[in-house]
Amino acid sequence: MDEHLRRTQTYGVEPVELFFDLVFVFAVSQLTHHLRDHLSARGVAETAVILLAVFTVWYYTSWEATLVRIEHTRTVAMMLTVLFVGLFMNAAITSAFAGSGWNFAVPFLLIQLGRGLWTLLNAPNEIWRDHYRRTVLWLLTSAPLWVVGAAVDPVHRLYWWAAAAALDLLGTWLGHPVPGRRLQTQSVGLAEGGHMLERCRLFLIIALGETILSTGVAIVAVPMTVMTVATGSAALVVTAALWMVAYGGPGRLVVRHVEDTRDPIHATRMAGNVLTVMVAGLIAAAAAFEMVITHPHGQPAAALSLLLFGGPMLFLLAQGWYLWAVPRISPRRWLVGSAALALAGAAAGALAPPYVALLGAAVTLAAVAPVLTRFASTGRPST
């Protein structure tokens, strides 16, 4: 295909794709509530495992709708089917480790295996058919782990599902290779990469929206006092700072790179992988916002500080890694910003009540975000 033609064959995000995303607004909210209600090492692990599973459903479905083209009726039908089944999967998130595991595992496996076979049958060329043969093979390999996890008691379910989620994650990161065969992204069309990047950017908006939703829900739950205004405002400052970093200079750098690179599919595949970590950071921050706004005068708590400062740290570190790995931008300033959050979090966790910790996080990010945005907007690596 002509190089210029390949570069100009792009298409925007369709309303059905945004409609499909709505069920994952619910999923992110469910994950936030689970983390808030199970603030322990096990609760964090449970939230991470379910996040990986849910994000895999969103990512694979969005990518496959991009590949087969959303304007086809069969693709719209596939997305709506996943939305329907996914609603019941996401409704089971908060009880996935407390009761029957089948309520989550059955819809999850129906989506993964059914959609994988659908894509294999509808793939546009032999390159993609070969890729989805391997994808389905990887999914069939992890499926027994999900089944066993659903069958065992809730105490041991985490270990089986963690192994299954790790296997699915490994397949996603590596592009589902088998010995001697793997996807060579340089050999396929270019339009898919730019569209999928936009889908990832929109999913990040969902997670940012959850931080605002959690802030609003917490404000409604308590009397409107000066403390409520202060903590609610601080939570919004943190959210706005992370939005600035994601969609300001760094975000523009990524968009320009995908437009210019000869392998945009690789760039957007890596963006999807990193997005999981960024969303995890936002879920942690959202849970912390609710806890601080509703109980601003509680005792200093290391667990709360870890959510409040560690969530934004995950966000910055993930973005810094991506900028280093793909467009080859030095992550030094992202590392410095993360270190500043770590230091502030260490002090707050040991000494400060929750409202002071939140104000500290807001001040730190309000200082860090403009520096990263100004740097990245120049388009030059740091020295």
Side-chain angles (χ1 to χ4, degrees), residues 107-190:
F108 172 76
L109 291 174
L110 283 175
I111 291 172
Q112 289 293 83
L113 297 174
R115 190 210 52 245
L117 291 171
W118 178 91
T119 311
L120 176 59
L121 295 174
N122 289 277
N125 54 50
E126 183 56 34
I127 292 175
W128 286 113
R129 276 191 292 274
D130 183 63
H131 172 67
Y132 277 97
R133 291 188 194 101
R134 299 193 303 273
T135 300
V136 171
L137 179 62
W138 275 76
L139 294 176
L140 288 170
T141 303
S142 66
L145 299 174
W146 289 105
V147 170
V148 173
V152 301
D153 62 273
V155 174
H156 297 96
R157 183 171 300 146
L158 176 61
Y159 309 118
W160 288 97
W161 281 5
L167 187 58
D168 288 338
L169 178 65
L170 182 64
T172 303
W173 270 86
L174 299 179
H176 301 104
V178 298
R181 291 159 56 199
R182 63 180 302 157
L183 178 65
Q184 300 296 329
T185 53
Q186 303 93 330
S187 62
V188 296
L190 297 178

Side-chain angles (χ1 to χ4, degrees), residues 310-322:
M313 277 182 62
L314 277 179
F315 191 98
L316 294 186
L317 288 172
Q319 186 185 56
W321 180 89
Y322 180 84

Side-chain angles (χ1 to χ4, degrees), residues 339-358:
L341 283 168
L343 291 174
L351 304 172
Y355 77 91
V356 174
L358 178 53

Side-chain angles (χ1 to χ4, degrees), residues 235-250:
L236 285 175
V237 168
V238 173
T239 302
L242 295 176
W243 169 83
M244 181 188 300
V245 172
Y247 293 94

